[in-house]
Amino acid sequence: MYFFRPHGTLDSVLALFGAHPDKLWLGDPDLVNVSLSGVSVWRFTGLTFVLFLGAIQAIPGELYEAAELDGAARWQIFRHIVAPGIRPIISLSVILAVSGSLSVFEIPFVMTGGAGESKTFVIQTIKLAFQFNKTGLASAAAVVLLLIVLLVTWLQRRLVPDERTDLT
């Protein structure tokens, strides 16, 4: 939250580059969701990096050597060796990103309390349950969110199916 304060870290960094925005990053309805999205992206960059790094390291080195011996360019190596090797991780990352964005709660709640334009479906559901004491309606909203996440995940899996080969 110190990062987004007026005259805070973000404003200081932007001032180094000659910009003097002096904006309410978490108070401006036009900027709050962009700011919260930036925090979310930064938060999950490490996990995504480790997933992709592991997938790339799992590709056998012999494939790279064979491609180089055959005279493949870097783009061809990426297109025909790396991209197919990391395709399951791309699919997993998309599923995690979409389901996470649909069910986001902690970042907007901690940083803004869910005020103004930073209200999310989950924050509204929790307010229904605990602030307005409508637990039945909140439970129904949670089930609807679950169904939406399952539907989006199912659609994504149908549009980008696994290309598993049976080696038996």
Side-chain angles (χ1 to χ4, degrees), residues 55-125:
I56 291 170
Q57 287 179 341
I59 298 171
E62 294 84 18
L63 292 176
Y64 295 114
E65 291 175 22
E68 287 177 12
L69 287 174
D70 288 341
R74 292 183 81 95
W75 169 250
Q76 291 171 324
I77 291 173
F78 176 79
R79 183 170 178 242
H80 296 289
I81 296 173
V82 176
I86 64 173
R87 188 171 181 200
I89 298 304
I90 293 171
S91 179
L92 173 67
S93 295
V94 169
I95 289 172
L96 290 175
V98 169
S99 64
S101 65
L102 289 173
S103 60
V104 69
F105 167 73
E106 67 277 359
I107 291 174
F109 188 77
V110 168
M111 295 185 72
T112 65
E117 295 296 317
S118 67
K119 292 177 186 165
T120 66
F121 190 83
V122 178
I123 289 174
Q124 291 300 99
T125 302

Side-chain angles (χ1 to χ4, degrees), residues 10-83:
L10 181 58
D11 288 345
S12 299
V13 169
L14 290 175
L16 290 174
F17 294 103
H20 299 285
D22 293 329
K23 297 185 181 203
L24 295 173
W25 297 100
L26 298 176
D28 186 349
D30 296 329
L31 294 175
V32 67
N33 286 325
V34 173
S35 301
L36 295 174
S37 297
V39 170
S40 221
V41 167
W42 180 255
R43 177 180 176 199
F44 292 107
T45 298
L47 171 66
T48 306
F49 178 80
V50 169
L51 289 173
F52 278 97
L53 180 65
I56 291 170
Q57 287 179 341
I59 298 171
E62 294 84 18
L63 292 176
Y64 295 114
E65 291 175 22
E68 287 177 12
L69 287 174
D70 288 341
R74 292 183 81 95
W75 169 250
Q76 291 171 324
I77 291 173
F78 176 79
R79 183 170 178 242
H80 296 289
I81 296 173
V82 176

